[in-house]
Amino acid sequence: MGDQIYAFQYAYDATGNRTRRRREFDEGVEWDSTYYAYDASNALIRKQVMPANVTTYYYYDANGSRARQVEGGATTYFEYGPQRLITKIIPPLADGNPWQFDYDANSNRYKMDKGGTVSFFQWDGPKLLEERAEDETLLVRYTHGYSPIPNVGTALECYLPSIGESYFLAMDHHGTVNVILDQDGAEVGRRYYDDFGIILGQTGSWPIDLGYQTPWLMVKVGNKWWCLSKYRLYDPDTGTYTSRDPLPLLKKIAQNASGNALGSYTRLLDLRAYAVEDPKKWAGNLYEYARSNPTNLTDAEGLEYYEDCFNQCVGSAMASSQGADQAGIYKDCARKCQGLPLRPPPMPTNIKEYDKCVFYWKQRWDTENPGKPMPSDWILKHCGKVSDITKTPGSPEGPQTPSGSSSPSQPSAAAARDCWSAKVDETEVNYDPATGIYSGLAWIVAENSQTKEQKKYNKVSLGALIGNSDAARKREADSQAGSEARKIADSLNKK
């Protein structure tokens, strides 16, 4: 084994905040140590490097987004637009010009003013396809291929018309470009990074903005490097985002039984609609990157990654195998997690949540264990007994199963008598636990429990059918869809 040339040691608090980073340039010989302090919402407020005794202070706006940071009297400012997307980075005056970012209606960063040089970008979801100059001259065109990690490390080739040549990208296991090669296989540039994205060294040239964990862009504003994920700005020096993760605030939108079947991009078009809320009531660290485990985990979009099936699968497999067969683990997890919901549902407190829980864990078993029978205690282990569920305040569903029944097939919304019941397809149902109000459109299915006859109706408004508050029912009933839902319920009750 060779001599140690560089080493890092990290310490963390209970919520995943880095409290210390120690660097060594030889085994046991400390280069420096950096200490970090945070506020109650896990926002980084101070960084101190010793023994140089250089301190950086961080300040935030009312949304919890970093507004400025001050180091040695030099201040960097940040500005944000709708959906808390970064729109400007203003480095210290002596370090260069501001960079500005513009977005389209789908939150794609289509324009960047790189300190006076304007570029336009074309995207296909998370994949960067082209970069063009202000006069529409093509600067770079990217070709993508397969990656075992969805949307990470798919860029394989970049064509630069200015030299009439394609470059090829050699990446590590989480999509970081380490080497750029020309068409003859000769090395154009090479970079060395730490696990969190700090560039430790570079040889040759680097003509593209792809670097740490593609599809992120890696840009140097003034004298400091930043990483641009689709939705947030990442600081590799601190291993944190500059703003809170918005995804937990969107659970009213994302909470549906089909999970990512709708596609995260479809759901997150509603980013513009969320309100500022108290981050303390949401579990998790909203500034943390890759659960402070970037060796094994990834975060393609800068959103809530830590409950994602793929990252859970990789983290568990890496821990149990101690990193053996890393490529096999990534491929296996990509196969296992195809089509699964974004996150496991919580332990249910009402029938609606129980149905959702059963849906998830049945799909989870079938996906991870194709062709194998599901153990009899699988649902019990993850969802509990349906007979133990009792009605809770603000949960209009309550228990709908007969006493002693443990069948998960009971309808979520009882709207009939004489064996007829109505239930809704969970895939488009949004529920606000704070108010107990359901919203959205849903398929209404009527079923006779004895004859198994089913009648499926068009998508209708949900509130009038399943017992929201009086005010909510009135609002829903005032709409045409709400009126149709009431007619369906009334017709079922007459059977």
Side-chain angles (χ1 to χ4, degrees):
M1 185 173 181
D3 294 334
Q4 173 182 305
I5 59 174
Y6 212 59
F8 299 89
Q9 293 179 350
Y10 301 95
Y12 299 90
D13 64 19
T15 56
N17 293 314
R18 183 195 301 174
T19 57
R20 182 186 179 188
R21 180 188 66 189
R22 171 188 164 95
R23 297 193 294 179
E24 297 179 357
F25 60 84
D26 200 356
E27 187 171 1
V29 181
E30 181 175 313
W31 177 0
D32 62 22
S33 282
T34 305
Y35 300 87
Y36 306 84
Y38 303 83
D39 67 11
S41 69
N42 297 310
L44 176 66
I45 57 175
R46 187 176 69 254
K47 180 189 75 173
Q48 186 176 27
V49 182
M50 298 297 289
N53 196 24
V54 176
T55 302
T56 306
Y57 296 92
Y58 303 88
Y59 303 88
Y60 297 81
D61 61 22
N63 293 324
S65 301
R66 188 181 302 177
R68 59 190 172 101
Q69 61 184 59
V70 182
E71 179 179 331
T75 303
T76 300
Y77 295 91
F78 307 87
E79 295 180 6
Y80 303 84
Q83 304 138 42
R84 304 180 199 172
L85 297 170
I86 185 72
T87 57
K88 184 181 287 189
I89 304 175
I90 307 174
L93 187 60
D95 291 348
N97 296 323
W99 282 45
Q100 297 188 90
F101 312 95
D102 294 277
Y103 302 83
D104 62 20
N106 293 324
S107 301
N108 293 312
R109 191 179 296 107
Y110 78 92
K111 178 183 177 183
M112 288 172 50
D113 183 339
K114 304 178 180 181
T117 302
V118 175
S119 288
F120 290 86
F121 298 85
Q122 182 177 356
W123 299 84
D124 177 17
K127 297 179 177 68
L128 178 59
L129 300 181
E130 289 184 351
E131 178 181 354
R132 291 181 177 269
E134 197 166 13
D135 62 359
E136 300 187 4
T137 300
L138 179 65
L139 301 176
V140 188
R141 175 173 290 141
Y142 295 91
T143 301
H144 295 262
Y146 168 79
S147 170
I149 312 176
N151 301 324
V152 172
T154 62
L156 305 177
E157 175 187 349
C158 56
Y159 171 68
L160 285 75
S162 60
I163 60 173
E165 187 174 342
S166 291
Y167 287 160
F168 299 89
L169 311 179
M171 304 181 188
D172 64 14
H173 61 288
H174 54 53
T176 295
V177 183
N178 293 299
V179 182
I180 299 177
L181 304 171
D182 66 16
Q183 294 179 164
D184 298 322
E187 189 171 299
V188 175
R190 178 183 292 266
R191 277 183 179 172
Y192 304 87
Y193 309 82
D194 75 357
D195 282 351
F196 287 91
I198 294 176
I199 299 175
L200 304 176
Q202 177 180 318
T203 59
S205 62
W206 206 269
I208 59 175
D209 288 330
L210 296 183
Y212 182 68
Q213 196 197 263
T214 59
W216 289 9
L217 302 182
M218 194 168 192
V219 298
K220 190 175 185 180
V221 181
N223 294 322
K224 181 170 173 54
W225 286 96
W226 300 95
C227 293
L228 294 161
S229 70
K230 181 175 176 68
Y231 293 106
R232 288 195 289 171
L233 179 67
Y234 171 72
D235 182 356
D237 184 48
T238 63
T240 62
Y241 291 102
T242 64
S243 57
R244 296 171 183 156
D245 186 344
L247 193 55
L249 305 182
L250 299 175
K251 288 188 176 180
K252 292 186 288 292
I253 299 169
Q255 188 179 33
N256 56 75
S258 63
N260 59 6
L262 293 178
S264 58
Y265 301 103
T266 302
R267 290 200 309 278
L268 291 165
L269 293 181
D270 292 301
L271 271 168
R272 57 185 176 273
Y274 72 78
V276 177
E277 299 191 38
D278 182 2
K280 296 178 184 177
K281 74 183 196 179
W282 301 102
N285 186 335
L286 301 184
Y287 295 93
E288 186 182 21
Y289 163 64
R291 211 170 193 177
S292 298
N293 184 13
T295 303
N296 295 324
L297 303 183
T298 58
D299 188 359
E301 301 165 334
L303 293 175
E304 187 178 23
Y305 58 86
Y306 42 82
E307 290 179 333
D308 178 75
C309 170
F310 178 82
N311 279 303
Q312 283 188 338
C313 177
V314 169
S316 175
M318 288 288 191
S320 61
S321 67
Q322 297 183 346
D325 189 23
Q326 187 165 274
I329 288 173
Y330 272 69
K331 290 180 180 179
D332 187 49
C333 288
R335 177 188 62 79
K336 286 182 176 180
C337 296
Q338 184 67 35
L340 279 176
L342 278 176
R343 57 174 95 40
M347 286 297 287
T349 59
N350 57 53
I351 293 299
K352 183 178 183 63
E353 292 178 359
Y354 183 83
D355 290 346
K356 184 176 295 185
C357 185
V358 169
F359 175 91
Y360 175 88
W361 288 108
K362 279 185 175 179
Q363 187 180 18
R364 180 73 172 260
W365 177 266
D366 292 342
T367 303
E368 297 182 0
N369 306 277
K372 295 182 180 180
M374 186 173 64
S376 58
D377 63 344
W378 179 254
I379 297 300
L380 180 66
K381 175 183 176 181
H382 296 288
C383 304
K385 293 182 179 179
V386 67
S387 58
D388 291 340
I389 296 175
T390 57
K391 189 171 183 179
T392 56
S395 299
E397 292 299 317
Q400 302 292 336
T401 56
S403 176
S405 171
S406 59
S407 170
S409 63
Q410 290 292 326
S412 296
R417 61 181 179 176
D418 298 331
C419 303
W420 281 89
S421 59
K423 62 180 180 179
V424 295
D425 185 342
E426 303 283 347
T427 57
E428 300 182 50
V429 177
N430 302 321
Y431 174 59
D432 183 352
T435 61
I437 294 178
Y438 292 84
S439 62
L441 299 178
W443 290 99
I444 305 298
V445 180
E447 180 179 30
N448 188 297
S449 61
Q450 293 183 352
T451 65
K452 303 303 180 183
E453 178 186 357
Q454 286 193 350
K455 296 181 179 180
K456 191 169 185 177
Y457 298 85
N458 290 331
K459 292 181 180 179
V460 296
S461 180
L462 189 60
L465 183 64
I466 64 174
N468 282 333
S469 67
D470 291 341
R473 278 203 303 272
K474 185 178 186 306
R475 287 196 302 271
E476 298 285 0
D478 285 343
S479 66
Q480 182 177 356
S483 176
E484 184 176 352
R486 286 203 306 163
K487 290 178 181 178
I488 292 173
D490 290 342
S491 66
L492 290 171
N493 283 326
K494 293 177 182 178
K495 288 185 178 293

